[in-house]
Amino acid sequence: MAVSRALRRLLRIRDLEEEQCRLALDSAVGERNRLEYTLAATSERERRGRRLVAASAHSGELPDRLAGLEETRAAGRLAAVLVPRIAEAENNVAALQHEFLLKRVERRQAETLIQETEVRDAIEVERRSQQGLDDWYGNRLHRKQSNGEKAVSVAGRTATLDAVMQEDGAVADKT
């Protein structure tokens, strides 16, 4: 039995679904990485703010100190917003990764089904081919044996005819 078009269509659909899941996973991983990079940049912003406060303490510049304090507070607020979003992005990545792996399994199952069907078809074709060769060889041997029996049979009839003719000749000679 040849692989049906429906089975090939199913494989194509599974392949497309897997590709879509992979793209969604790549996008989610990119988003998570962007958030983590932003959190790292926020930490650096907080350090710069503290350094500005420390530098203003030595120089006595009040605007620098206020700017440093504001940088530190802004970085803290941004970090407070980013941490839950990163956790949510991690959960999203995990869910999409699970879905992607399920789609990969489904695609591989469809591929395996098609491969097994193709292997069964190849075995069946090989079996039929061998059966045809066996039949041909058997018929060939049967023909040779039949021709051999006919030759023996014809030779036997000829010998019998010769014997009958000799007897007739002997009978004719006696008369």
Side-chain angles (χ1 to χ4, degrees):
M1 150 179 136
V3 177
S4 69
R5 289 189 319 181
L7 201 52
R8 291 202 185 275
R9 213 173 303 132
L10 176 67
L11 176 62
R12 179 71 177 133
I13 289 169
R14 296 287 189 239
D15 194 36
L16 291 172
E17 287 175 343
E18 180 187 1
E19 182 66 20
Q20 287 177 341
C21 286
R22 187 187 61 76
L23 291 173
L25 177 62
D26 288 347
S27 175
V29 166
E31 177 66 17
R32 182 200 59 199
N33 291 343
R34 186 185 64 78
L35 289 171
E36 288 174 347
Y37 176 78
T38 303
L39 183 61
T42 301
S43 297
E44 179 59 33
R45 182 177 180 185
E46 185 179 18
R47 277 192 291 277
R48 280 194 317 254
R50 279 188 261 137
R51 274 189 251 135
L52 193 57
V53 168
S56 70
H58 293 294
S59 68
E61 294 291 323
L62 184 62
D64 286 344
R65 184 174 301 183
L66 292 175
L69 290 173
E70 187 54 37
E71 283 290 315
T72 305
R73 269 186 266 161
R77 284 193 309 266
L78 187 56
V81 170
L82 287 175
V83 169
R85 287 188 66 191
I86 290 173
E88 182 182 327
E90 282 290 334
N91 290 337
N92 189 28
V93 165
L96 288 172
Q97 190 171 34
H98 180 72
E99 184 179 347
F100 170 71
L101 292 175
L102 288 176
K103 293 299 179 183
R104 176 173 281 178
V105 166
E106 289 175 358
R107 178 190 53 85
R108 286 185 176 174
Q109 286 173 341
E111 279 179 348
T112 301
L113 211 66
I114 288 174
Q115 289 171 350
E116 288 174 353
T117 303
E118 288 172 344
V119 166
R120 274 195 311 267
D121 290 347
I123 289 171
E124 182 65 22
V125 165
E126 182 63 30
R127 187 191 64 75
R128 286 184 183 161
S129 174
Q130 186 63 46
Q131 183 66 42
L133 288 173
D134 291 346
D135 290 346
W136 174 81
Y137 186 73
N139 288 336
R140 184 172 161 223
L141 283 178
H142 180 70
R143 273 184 272 145
K144 281 185 178 180
Q145 288 175 353
S146 294
N147 288 340
E149 287 174 6
K150 286 180 186 175
V152 168
S153 157
V154 169
R157 277 191 241 142
T158 305
T160 307
L161 186 57
D162 287 342
V164 169
M165 288 173 67
Q166 284 177 359
E167 282 180 17
D168 285 344
V171 171
D173 287 339
K174 289 182 182 180
T175 50

